[in-house]
Amino acid sequence: MRNRVVITGLGVAAPNAVGIPSFSAAIKEGKSGISFLQDLADLTFSCQVGGIPPVTEAIKHQYFTELQLRQLNSSGVVYGVIAGVEAWQNAGLPIATDEPDWENGVIFGTGVLGVDKFRESIYKVDQGQVRRLGSTVVLQTMTSGVSAYLGGILGCGNQITANSSACATGTEALLLAYDRIANGNATRILSGSCNDHGPYVWGGFDAMRVMPYQYNDSPQQASRPMSASASGFVPGSGAGALVLESLDSALARNAHIYGEVLGGHINSGGQRGGGSMTAPNAVAVKRCIQKAVEQAGIQEKDIDLIDGHLTATSKDAAEITAWSEALQRSGADFPYINSLKSMVGHCLSAAGSIECVAAVLELSEDFIYPSLNCEDLHPDISAIIAPDRIPHQLIQRPINVIAKANFGFGDVNACVIFRKFQP
């Protein structure tokens, strides 16, 4: 018999807020974290706006020593540690001291980590200054740097690993953690994902012309999921973290339970059937959603809200079509649907975890956050769903089941089903 898995801790460093109380207030308010970035303008980027978490020096000093901060220049490591430690503290869990806690683990993914550190290293090595690189180069540039850092801080003795699946990374990490706990191989897993920010991370996307350039003077209008005037995704960064725990453990220590993970599905379109490195195979997306619903043991009609991937590109209408066909719901029967990217941009490999945190807050606190900048709904979307299914203002109402999905470069997909906790 598989264990029931619940969520007992949340942490976040998002472009519109850092920390769960501020983030909950920000998404209810519809607060944008997207701003004009002078360094992108100086480097002649077409898109000169982006989302960077407002991490102050005071916040950093809550999580790092002065020595650590002098050595760190990987923003992804900073964001990941802030979100991960907050989630652990939020769950009310102790830090292991004398020996590792064999029941606690970390699955924390990333896509691009330590790019600034790589740049510094290349210059120093080319100049024959290899001995001046410092002792943290490997930590800041290896994919598992954040999971290793967090595992050491918390003293976890179970699996410590990192996954990397582009935009699906965070949701995939959560599902990997879910499976490990459900199968009895761990009691608690800190899951999440992070991503660096900056021109060396975002430059490739600007070169691909997949980011908007018309809104450099009005950055908060730039991210326009589901809009007819959408012209590309706004780059973002940050980290999200969730503590997943067996229900028995959570009840035994009287932990606060934000919600339950019913199940989910991970797949790939194999870059076949219209799928490619940058475009999803529509059949695989639909199958991922259907299998997630099946594994969760619910009916399509049970879903109250879809927290979509919805990047503000030409693929938004295709995603809506996939949801409609997979759930066999359309028009006024379609669930509510929103996109956090309208407020924070596309946080790349951090997107899934930050958006999962937002979805769990919606579930726990009974609200639906507004989806910004889609007053001019794309006609291909309005032909499928009723316009009032997309909230433009905060909606306060009971939420029982949420479907959350992310679809990433490489034609990879992940969908998870959250439900309000039922004892």
Side-chain angles (χ1 to χ4, degrees), residues 6 29 40 50 54 56 68 77 84 86 90 92 106 109 129 144 163 199 203 212 231 307 352 369 381 385 394:
V6 294
E29 179 188 334
L40 300 186
T56 64
Q68 288 173 324
V77 172
E86 182 193 18
N90 184 250
V106 180
Q129 300 179 13
S144 59
N163 64 308
S231 57
D307 199 303
Y369 64 75
I381 294 176
I385 66 176
L394 172 70

mmCIF file with all atom_site columns, all heavy atoms in Angstrom, residues 6 29 40 50 54 56 68 77 84 86 90 92 106 109 129 144 163 199 203 212 231 307 352 369 381 385 394:
data_model
loop_
_atom_site.group_PDB
_atom_site.id
_atom_site.type_symbol
_atom_site.label_atom_id
_atom_site.label_alt_id
_atom_site.label_comp_id
_atom_site.label_asym_id
_atom_site.label_entity_id
_atom_site.label_seq_id
_atom_site.pdbx_PDB_ins_code
_atom_site.Cartn_x
_atom_site.Cartn_y
_atom_site.Cartn_z
_atom_site.occupancy
_atom_site.B_iso_or_equiv
_atom_site.pdbx_formal_charge
_atom_site.auth_seq_id
_atom_site.auth_comp_id
_atom_site.auth_asym_id
_atom_site.auth_atom_id
_atom_site.pdbx_PDB_model_num
ATOM 1   N N   . VAL A 1 6   ? 1.674   14.493 1.713   1.00 0.00 ? 6   VAL A N   1
ATOM 2   C CA  . VAL A 1 6   ? 1.117   15.828 1.919   1.00 0.00 ? 6   VAL A CA  1
ATOM 3   C C   . VAL A 1 6   ? 2.233   16.865 1.860   1.00 0.00 ? 6   VAL A C   1
ATOM 4   O O   . VAL A 1 6   ? 3.422   16.546 1.904   1.00 0.00 ? 6   VAL A O   1
ATOM 5   C CB  . VAL A 1 6   ? 0.365   15.920 3.266   1.00 0.00 ? 6   VAL A CB  1
ATOM 6   C CG1 . VAL A 1 6   ? -0.862  15.026 3.249   1.00 0.00 ? 6   VAL A CG1 1
ATOM 7   C CG2 . VAL A 1 6   ? 1.285   15.559 4.437   1.00 0.00 ? 6   VAL A CG2 1
ATOM 8   N N   . GLU A 1 29  ? -2.858  40.184 -4.945  1.00 0.00 ? 29  GLU A N   1
ATOM 9   C CA  . GLU A 1 29  ? -2.960  41.570 -5.420  1.00 0.00 ? 29  GLU A CA  1
ATOM 10  C C   . GLU A 1 29  ? -2.773  41.680 -6.926  1.00 0.00 ? 29  GLU A C   1
ATOM 11  O O   . GLU A 1 29  ? -3.186  42.663 -7.549  1.00 0.00 ? 29  GLU A O   1
ATOM 12  C CB  . GLU A 1 29  ? -1.884  42.395 -4.696  1.00 0.00 ? 29  GLU A CB  1
ATOM 13  C CG  . GLU A 1 29  ? -1.812  43.853 -5.080  1.00 0.00 ? 29  GLU A CG  1
ATOM 14  C CD  . GLU A 1 29  ? -0.602  44.539 -4.452  1.00 0.00 ? 29  GLU A CD  1
ATOM 15  O OE1 . GLU A 1 29  ? -0.140  44.072 -3.402  1.00 0.00 ? 29  GLU A OE1 1
ATOM 16  O OE2 . GLU A 1 29  ? -0.128  45.536 -5.021  1.00 0.00 ? 29  GLU A OE2 1
ATOM 17  N N   . LEU A 1 40  ? 20.511  44.970 -19.656 1.00 0.00 ? 40  LEU A N   1
ATOM 18  C CA  . LEU A 1 40  ? 20.083  44.375 -20.924 1.00 0.00 ? 40  LEU A CA  1
ATOM 19  C C   . LEU A 1 40  ? 20.067  45.437 -22.031 1.00 0.00 ? 40  LEU A C   1
ATOM 20  O O   . LEU A 1 40  ? 20.436  45.150 -23.179 1.00 0.00 ? 40  LEU A O   1
ATOM 21  C CB  . LEU A 1 40  ? 18.698  43.747 -20.782 1.00 0.00 ? 40  LEU A CB  1
ATOM 22  C CG  . LEU A 1 40  ? 18.548  42.624 -19.752 1.00 0.00 ? 40  LEU A CG  1
ATOM 23  C CD1 . LEU A 1 40  ? 17.152  42.010 -19.844 1.00 0.00 ? 40  LEU A CD1 1
ATOM 24  C CD2 . LEU A 1 40  ? 19.612  41.547 -19.947 1.00 0.00 ? 40  LEU A CD2 1
ATOM 25  N N   . GLY A 1 50  ? 12.702  42.061 -17.424 1.00 0.00 ? 50  GLY A N   1
ATOM 26  C CA  . GLY A 1 50  ? 12.841  40.737 -16.831 1.00 0.00 ? 50  GLY A CA  1
ATOM 27  C C   . GLY A 1 50  ? 12.387  40.729 -15.393 1.00 0.00 ? 50  GLY A C   1
ATOM 28  O O   . GLY A 1 50  ? 12.084  41.777 -14.809 1.00 0.00 ? 50  GLY A O   1
ATOM 29  N N   . PRO A 1 54  ? 13.524  40.312 -5.497  1.00 0.00 ? 54  PRO A N   1
ATOM 30  C CA  . PRO A 1 54  ? 14.042  41.447 -4.713  1.00 0.00 ? 54  PRO A CA  1
ATOM 31  C C   . PRO A 1 54  ? 14.729  40.974 -3.434  1.00 0.00 ? 54  PRO A C   1
ATOM 32  O O   . PRO A 1 54  ? 14.263  41.220 -2.313  1.00 0.00 ? 54  PRO A O   1
ATOM 33  C CB  . PRO A 1 54  ? 12.779  42.264 -4.421  1.00 0.00 ? 54  PRO A CB  1
ATOM 34  C CG  . PRO A 1 54  ? 11.684  41.237 -4.377  1.00 0.00 ? 54  PRO A CG  1
ATOM 35  C CD  . PRO A 1 54  ? 12.051  40.202 -5.409  1.00 0.00 ? 54  PRO A CD  1
ATOM 36  N N   . THR A 1 56  ? 17.310  41.357 -0.814  1.00 0.00 ? 56  THR A N   1
ATOM 37  C CA  . THR A 1 56  ? 18.151  42.401 -0.232  1.00 0.00 ? 56  THR A CA  1
ATOM 38  C C   . THR A 1 56  ? 19.342  41.778 0.507   1.00 0.00 ? 56  THR A C   1
ATOM 39  O O   . THR A 1 56  ? 19.379  40.581 0.780   1.00 0.00 ? 56  THR A O   1
ATOM 40  C CB  . THR A 1 56  ? 17.346  43.249 0.759   1.00 0.00 ? 56  THR A CB  1
ATOM 41  O OG1 . THR A 1 56  ? 16.931  42.411 1.847   1.00 0.00 ? 56  THR A OG1 1
ATOM 42  C CG2 . THR A 1 56  ? 16.112  43.850 0.097   1.00 0.00 ? 56  THR A CG2 1
ATOM 43  N N   . GLN A 1 68  ? 30.550  33.398 3.302   1.00 0.00 ? 68  GLN A N   1
ATOM 44  C CA  . GLN A 1 68  ? 29.844  32.706 2.218   1.00 0.00 ? 68  GLN A CA  1
ATOM 45  C C   . GLN A 1 68  ? 29.405  33.684 1.137   1.00 0.00 ? 68  GLN A C   1
ATOM 46  O O   . GLN A 1 68  ? 29.532  33.405 -0.058  1.00 0.00 ? 68  GLN A O   1
ATOM 47  C CB  . GLN A 1 68  ? 28.635  31.957 2.778   1.00 0.00 ? 68  GLN A CB  1
ATOM 48  C CG  . GLN A 1 68  ? 28.979  30.718 3.586   1.00 0.00 ? 68  GLN A CG  1
ATOM 49  C CD  . GLN A 1 68  ? 27.764  30.116 4.267   1.00 0.00 ? 68  GLN A CD  1
ATOM 50  O OE1 . GLN A 1 68  ? 26.857  30.835 4.714   1.00 0.00 ? 68  GLN A OE1 1
ATOM 51  N NE2 . GLN A 1 68  ? 27.725  28.799 4.342   1.00 0.00 ? 68  GLN A NE2 1
ATOM 52  N N   . VAL A 1 77  ? 22.088  29.659 -6.672  1.00 0.00 ? 77  VAL A N   1
ATOM 53  C CA  . VAL A 1 77  ? 22.399  29.070 -5.369  1.00 0.00 ? 77  VAL A CA  1
ATOM 54  C C   . VAL A 1 77  ? 21.758  29.899 -4.257  1.00 0.00 ? 77  VAL A C   1
ATOM 55  O O   . VAL A 1 77  ? 21.151  29.366 -3.319  1.00 0.00 ? 77  VAL A O   1
ATOM 56  C CB  . VAL A 1 77  ? 23.918  28.966 -5.160  1.00 0.00 ? 77  VAL A CB  1
ATOM 57  C CG1 . VAL A 1 77  ? 24.239  28.528 -3.732  1.00 0.00 ? 77  VAL A CG1 1
ATOM 58  C CG2 . VAL A 1 77  ? 24.536  27.978 -6.145  1.00 0.00 ? 77  VAL A CG2 1
ATOM 59  N N   . GLY A 1 84  ? 14.645  27.031 -0.059  1.00 0.00 ? 84  GLY A N   1
ATOM 60  C CA  . GLY A 1 84  ? 14.697  25.718 0.567   1.00 0.00 ? 84  GLY A CA  1
ATOM 61  C C   . GLY A 1 84  ? 14.703  25.781 2.087   1.00 0.00 ? 84  GLY A C   1
ATOM 62  O O   . GLY A 1 84  ? 13.974  25.034 2.758   1.00 0.00 ? 84  GLY A O   1
ATOM 63  N N   . GLU A 1 86  ? 13.673  28.296 3.925   1.00 0.00 ? 86  GLU A N   1
ATOM 64  C CA  . GLU A 1 86  ? 12.375  28.817 4.383   1.00 0.00 ? 86  GLU A CA  1
ATOM 65  C C   . GLU A 1 86  ? 11.340  27.697 4.427   1.00 0.00 ? 86  GLU A C   1
ATOM 66  O O   . GLU A 1 86  ? 10.558  27.598 5.392   1.00 0.00 ? 86  GLU A O   1
ATOM 67  C CB  . GLU A 1 86  ? 11.869  29.939 3.474   1.00 0.00 ? 86  GLU A CB  1
ATOM 68  C CG  . GLU A 1 86  ? 10.548  30.513 3.990   1.00 0.00 ? 86  GLU A CG  1
ATOM 69  C CD  . GLU A 1 86  ? 9.800   31.399 3.012   1.00 0.00 ? 86  GLU A CD  1
ATOM 70  O OE1 . GLU A 1 86  ? 10.072  31.351 1.805   1.00 0.00 ? 86  GLU A OE1 1
ATOM 71  O OE2 . GLU A 1 86  ? 8.914   32.147 3.475   1.00 0.00 ? 86  GLU A OE2 1
ATOM 72  N N   . ASN A 1 90  ? 9.406   26.557 7.609   1.00 0.00 ? 90  ASN A N   1
ATOM 73  C CA  . ASN A 1 90  ? 7.959   26.681 7.510   1.00 0.00 ? 90  ASN A CA  1
ATOM 74  C C   . ASN A 1 90  ? 7.265   25.378 7.904   1.00 0.00 ? 90  ASN A C   1
ATOM 75  O O   . ASN A 1 90  ? 6.168   25.384 8.475   1.00 0.00 ? 90  ASN A O   1
ATOM 76  C CB  . ASN A 1 90  ? 7.584   27.088 6.080   1.00 0.00 ? 90  ASN A CB  1
ATOM 77  C CG  . ASN A 1 90  ? 6.107   27.336 5.893   1.00 0.00 ? 90  ASN A CG  1
ATOM 78  O OD1 . ASN A 1 90  ? 5.443   26.560 5.225   1.00 0.00 ? 90  ASN A OD1 1
ATOM 79  N ND2 . ASN A 1 90  ? 5.590   28.412 6.456   1.00 0.00 ? 90  ASN A ND2 1
ATOM 80  N N   . GLY A 1 92  ? 8.368   23.422 10.147  1.00 0.00 ? 92  GLY A N   1
ATOM 81  C CA  . GLY A 1 92  ? 8.625   23.171 11.553  1.00 0.00 ? 92  GLY A CA  1
ATOM 82  C C   . GLY A 1 92  ? 9.545   22.002 11.799  1.00 0.00 ? 92  GLY A C   1
ATOM 83  O O   . GLY A 1 92  ? 9.452   21.326 12.842  1.00 0.00 ? 92  GLY A O   1
ATOM 84  N N   . VAL A 1 106 ? 16.660  15.567 -0.253  1.00 0.00 ? 106 VAL A N   1
ATOM 85  C CA  . VAL A 1 106 ? 16.518  16.782 -1.056  1.00 0.00 ? 106 VAL A CA  1
ATOM 86  C C   . VAL A 1 106 ? 16.532  16.394 -2.535  1.00 0.00 ? 106 VAL A C   1
ATOM 87  O O   . VAL A 1 106 ? 17.457  15.722 -2.991  1.00 0.00 ? 106 VAL A O   1
ATOM 88  C CB  . VAL A 1 106 ? 17.663  17.791 -0.793  1.00 0.00 ? 106 VAL A CB  1
ATOM 89  C CG1 . VAL A 1 106 ? 17.481  19.041 -1.661  1.00 0.00 ? 106 VAL A CG1 1
ATOM 90  C CG2 . VAL A 1 106 ? 17.733  18.166 0.678   1.00 0.00 ? 106 VAL A CG2 1
ATOM 91  N N   . GLY A 1 109 ? 16.149  20.769 -8.365  1.00 0.00 ? 109 GLY A N   1
ATOM 92  C CA  . GLY A 1 109 ? 16.681  20.838 -9.720  1.00 0.00 ? 109 GLY A CA  1
ATOM 93  C C   . GLY A 1 109 ? 17.076  22.234 -10.168 1.00 0.00 ? 109 GLY A C   1
ATOM 94  O O   . GLY A 1 109 ? 16.793  23.236 -9.511  1.00 0.00 ? 109 GLY A O   1
ATOM 95  N N   . GLN A 1 129 ? 45.514  32.543 -13.978 1.00 0.00 ? 129 GLN A N   1
ATOM 96  C CA  . GLN A 1 129 ? 45.260  32.826 -12.564 1.00 0.00 ? 129 GLN A CA  1
ATOM 97  C C   . GLN A 1 129 ? 44.397  31.746 -11.925 1.00 0.00 ? 129 GLN A C   1
ATOM 98  O O   . GLN A 1 129 ? 43.526  32.019 -11.097 1.00 0.00 ? 129 GLN A O   1
ATOM 99  C CB  . GLN A 1 129 ? 44.579  34.186 -12.416 1.00 0.00 ? 129 GLN A CB  1
ATOM 100 C CG  . GLN A 1 129 ? 45.390  35.342 -12.956 1.00 0.00 ? 129 GLN A CG  1
ATOM 101 C CD  . GLN A 1 129 ? 44.665  36.669 -12.818 1.00 0.00 ? 129 GLN A CD  1
ATOM 102 O OE1 . GLN A 1 129 ? 43.660  36.775 -12.122 1.00 0.00 ? 129 GLN A OE1 1
ATOM 103 N NE2 . GLN A 1 129 ? 45.174  37.693 -13.480 1.00 0.00 ? 129 GLN A NE2 1
ATOM 104 N N   . SER A 1 144 ? 24.157  19.775 -9.234  1.00 0.00 ? 144 SER A N   1
ATOM 105 C CA  . SER A 1 144 ? 23.676  19.395 -7.907  1.00 0.00 ? 144 SER A CA  1
ATOM 106 C C   . SER A 1 144 ? 24.186  20.322 -6.811  1.00 0.00 ? 144 SER A C   1
ATOM 107 O O   . SER A 1 144 ? 24.086  19.989 -5.626  1.00 0.00 ? 144 SER A O   1
ATOM 108 C CB  . SER A 1 144 ? 24.080  17.948 -7.597  1.00 0.00 ? 144 SER A CB  1
ATOM 109 O OG  . SER A 1 144 ? 25.492  17.808 -7.657  1.00 0.00 ? 144 SER A OG  1
ATOM 110 N N   . ASN A 1 163 ? 17.628  17.310 -10.477 1.00 0.00 ? 163 ASN A N   1
ATOM 111 C CA  . ASN A 1 163 ? 17.111  16.951 -11.801 1.00 0.00 ? 163 ASN A CA  1
ATOM 112 C C   . ASN A 1 163 ? 17.184  18.172 -12.696 1.00 0.00 ? 163 ASN A C   1
ATOM 113 O O   . ASN A 1 163 ? 17.315  19.302 -12.221 1.00 0.00 ? 163 ASN A O   1
ATOM 114 C CB  . ASN A 1 163 ? 15.670  16.447 -11.710 1.00 0.00 ? 163 ASN A CB  1
ATOM 115 C CG  . ASN A 1 163 ? 14.706  17.528 -11.226 1.00 0.00 ? 163 ASN A CG  1
ATOM 116 O OD1 . ASN A 1 163 ? 14.944  18.158 -10.204 1.00 0.00 ? 163 ASN A OD1 1
ATOM 117 N ND2 . ASN A 1 163 ? 13.624  17.740 -11.953 1.00 0.00 ? 163 ASN A ND2 1
ATOM 118 N N   . PRO A 1 199 ? 22.116  38.397 -18.233 1.00 0.00 ? 199 PRO A N   1
ATOM 119 C CA  . PRO A 1 199 ? 22.283  38.378 -19.688 1.00 0.00 ? 199 PRO A CA  1
ATOM 120 C C   . PRO A 1 199 ? 22.931  37.111 -20.228 1.00 0.00 ? 199 PRO A C   1
ATOM 121 O O   . PRO A 1 199 ? 22.644  36.703 -21.361 1.00 0.00 ? 199 PRO A O   1
ATOM 122 C CB  . PRO A 1 199 ? 23.161  39.611 -19.965 1.00 0.00 ? 199 PRO A CB  1
ATOM 123 C CG  . PRO A 1 199 ? 23.803  39.949 -18.657 1.00 0.00 ? 199 PRO A CG  1
ATOM 124 C CD  . PRO A 1 199 ? 22.823  39.549 -17.611 1.00 0.00 ? 199 PRO A CD  1
ATOM 125 N N   . GLY A 1 203 ? 20.554  35.543 -22.838 1.00 0.00 ? 203 GLY A N   1
ATOM 126 C CA  . GLY A 1 203 ? 20.974  35.968 -24.168 1.00 0.00 ? 203 GLY A CA  1
ATOM 127 C C   . GLY A 1 203 ? 20.563  35.026 -25.281 1.00 0.00 ? 203 GLY A C   1
ATOM 128 O O   . GLY A 1 203 ? 20.180  35.457 -26.372 1.00 0.00 ? 203 GLY A O   1
ATOM 129 N N   . PRO A 1 212 ? 9.633   39.297 -25.840 1.00 0.00 ? 212 PRO A N   1
ATOM 130 C CA  . PRO A 1 212 ? 9.001   40.501 -26.387 1.00 0.00 ? 212 PRO A CA  1
ATOM 131 C C   . PRO A 1 212 ? 9.929   41.711 -26.352 1.00 0.00 ? 212 PRO A C   1
ATOM 132 O O   . PRO A 1 212 ? 10.710  41.884 -25.415 1.00 0.00 ? 212 PRO A O   1
ATOM 133 C CB  . PRO A 1 212 ? 7.802   40.713 -25.463 1.00 0.00 ? 212 PRO A CB  1
ATOM 134 C CG  . PRO A 1 212 ? 8.227   40.127 -24.170 1.00 0.00 ? 212 PRO A CG  1
ATOM 135 C CD  . PRO A 1 212 ? 9.097   38.944 -24.504 1.00 0.00 ? 212 PRO A CD  1
ATOM 136 N N   . SER A 1 231 ? 3.637   38.325 -27.444 1.00 0.00 ? 231 SER A N   1
ATOM 137 C CA  . SER A 1 231 ? 4.693   38.249 -28.460 1.00 0.00 ? 231 SER A CA  1
ATOM 138 C C   . SER A 1 231 ? 5.961   37.569 -27.948 1.00 0.00 ? 231 SER A C   1
ATOM 139 O O   . SER A 1 231 ? 7.032   37.753 -28.494 1.00 0.00 ? 231 SER A O   1
ATOM 140 C CB  . SER A 1 231 ? 5.038   39.664 -28.940 1.00 0.00 ? 231 SER A CB  1
ATOM 141 O OG  . SER A 1 231 ? 5.425   40.486 -27.855 1.00 0.00 ? 231 SER A OG  1
ATOM 142 N N   . ASP A 1 307 ? -3.612  25.533 -13.080 1.00 0.00 ? 307 ASP A N   1
ATOM 143 C CA  . ASP A 1 307 ? -2.518  26.501 -13.019 1.00 0.00 ? 307 ASP A CA  1
ATOM 144 C C   . ASP A 1 307 ? -1.614  26.149 -14.189 1.00 0.00 ? 307 ASP A C   1
ATOM 145 O O   . ASP A 1 307 ? -0.822  25.215 -14.128 1.00 0.00 ? 307 ASP A O   1
ATOM 146 C CB  . ASP A 1 307 ? -1.785  26.381 -11.678 1.00 0.00 ? 307 ASP A CB  1
ATOM 147 C CG  . ASP A 1 307 ? -0.966  27.613 -11.358 1.00 0.00 ? 307 ASP A CG  1
ATOM 148 O OD1 . ASP A 1 307 ? -0.106  27.954 -12.184 1.00 0.00 ? 307 ASP A OD1 1
ATOM 149 O OD2 . ASP A 1 307 ? -1.180  28.225 -10.295 1.00 0.00 ? 307 ASP A OD2 1
ATOM 150 N N   . GLY A 1 352 ? 8.401   25.817 -12.574 1.00 0.00 ? 352 GLY A N   1
ATOM 151 C CA  . GLY A 1 352 ? 7.504   24.796 -12.039 1.00 0.00 ? 352 GLY A CA  1
ATOM 152 C C   . GLY A 1 352 ? 7.369   24.865 -10.534 1.00 0.00 ? 352 GLY A C   1
ATOM 153 O O   . GLY A 1 352 ? 6.259   24.773 -9.988  1.00 0.00 ? 352 GLY A O   1
ATOM 154 N N   . TYR A 1 369 ? -5.706  33.490 -8.037  1.00 0.00 ? 369 TYR A N   1
ATOM 155 C CA  . TYR A 1 369 ? -5.027  34.756 -8.335  1.00 0.00 ? 369 TYR A CA  1
ATOM 156 C C   . TYR A 1 369 ? -5.355  35.208 -9.760  1.00 0.00 ? 369 TYR A C   1
ATOM 157 O O   . TYR A 1 369 ? -5.657  34.393 -10.636 1.00 0.00 ? 369 TYR A O   1
ATOM 158 C CB  . TYR A 1 369 ? -3.519  34.641 -8.120  1.00 0.00 ? 369 TYR A CB  1
ATOM 159 C CG  . TYR A 1 369 ? -2.793  33.672 -9.018  1.00 0.00 ? 369 TYR A CG  1
ATOM 160 C CD1 . TYR A 1 369 ? -2.530  33.963 -10.350 1.00 0.00 ? 369 TYR A CD1 1
ATOM 161 C CD2 . TYR A 1 369 ? -2.336  32.452 -8.525  1.00 0.00 ? 369 TYR A CD2 1
ATOM 162 C CE1 . TYR A 1 369 ? -1.849  33.078 -11.177 1.00 0.00 ? 369 TYR A CE1 1
ATOM 163 C CE2 . TYR A 1 369 ? -1.655  31.556 -9.333  1.00 0.00 ? 369 TYR A CE2 1
ATOM 164 C CZ  . TYR A 1 369 ? -1.408  31.875 -10.650 1.00 0.00 ? 369 TYR A CZ  1
ATOM 165 O OH  . TYR A 1 369 ? -0.737  30.989 -11.468 1.00 0.00 ? 369 TYR A OH  1
ATOM 166 N N   . ILE A 1 381 ? -8.380  30.849 -28.300 1.00 0.00 ? 381 ILE A N   1
ATOM 167 C CA  . ILE A 1 381 ? -8.684  30.421 -26.935 1.00 0.00 ? 381 ILE A CA  1
ATOM 168 C C   . ILE A 1 381 ? -10.145 30.704 -26.597 1.00 0.00 ? 381 ILE A C   1
ATOM 169 O O   . ILE A 1 381 ? -10.836 29.861 -26.014 1.00 0.00 ? 381 ILE A O   1
ATOM 170 C CB  . ILE A 1 381 ? -7.736  31.121 -25.936 1.00 0.00 ? 381 ILE A CB  1
ATOM 171 C CG1 . ILE A 1 381 ? -6.296  30.644 -26.176 1.00 0.00 ? 381 ILE A CG1 1
ATOM 172 C CG2 . ILE A 1 381 ? -8.162  30.844 -24.495 1.00 0.00 ? 381 ILE A CG2 1
ATOM 173 C CD1 . ILE A 1 381 ? -5.259  31.334 -25.318 1.00 0.00 ? 381 ILE A CD1 1
ATOM 174 N N   . ILE A 1 385 ? -12.901 28.131 -24.628 1.00 0.00 ? 385 ILE A N   1
ATOM 175 C CA  . ILE A 1 385 ? -13.357 28.295 -23.250 1.00 0.00 ? 385 ILE A CA  1
ATOM 176 C C   . ILE A 1 385 ? -14.091 29.624 -23.086 1.00 0.00 ? 385 ILE A C   1
ATOM 177 O O   . ILE A 1 385 ? -13.858 30.574 -23.825 1.00 0.00 ? 385 ILE A O   1
ATOM 178 C CB  . ILE A 1 385 ? -12.181 28.221 -22.256 1.00 0.00 ? 385 ILE A CB  1
ATOM 179 C CG1 . ILE A 1 385 ? -11.224 29.411 -22.429 1.00 0.00 ? 385 ILE A CG1 1
ATOM 180 C CG2 . ILE A 1 385 ? -11.421 26.919 -22.416 1.00 0.00 ? 385 ILE A CG2 1
ATOM 181 C CD1 . ILE A 1 385 ? -10.101 29.439 -21.400 1.00 0.00 ? 385 ILE A CD1 1
ATOM 182 N N   . LEU A 1 394 ? -8.826  39.037 -8.368  1.00 0.00 ? 394 LEU A N   1
ATOM 183 C CA  . LEU A 1 394 ? -8.786  37.995 -7.360  1.00 0.00 ? 394 LEU A CA  1
ATOM 184 C C   . LEU A 1 394 ? -10.176 37.403 -7.152  1.00 0.00 ? 394 LEU A C   1
ATOM 185 O O   . LEU A 1 394 ? -11.162 38.139 -7.045  1.00 0.00 ? 394 LEU A O   1
ATOM 186 C CB  . LEU A 1 394 ? -8.268  38.576 -6.041  1.00 0.00 ? 394 LEU A CB  1
ATOM 187 C CG  . LEU A 1 394 ? -8.329  37.659 -4.817  1.00 0.00 ? 394 LEU A CG  1
ATOM 188 C CD1 . LEU A 1 394 ? -7.319  36.525 -4.948  1.00 0.00 ? 394 LEU A CD1 1
ATOM 189 C CD2 . LEU A 1 394 ? -8.093  38.462 -3.536  1.00 0.00 ? 394 LEU A CD2 1
#
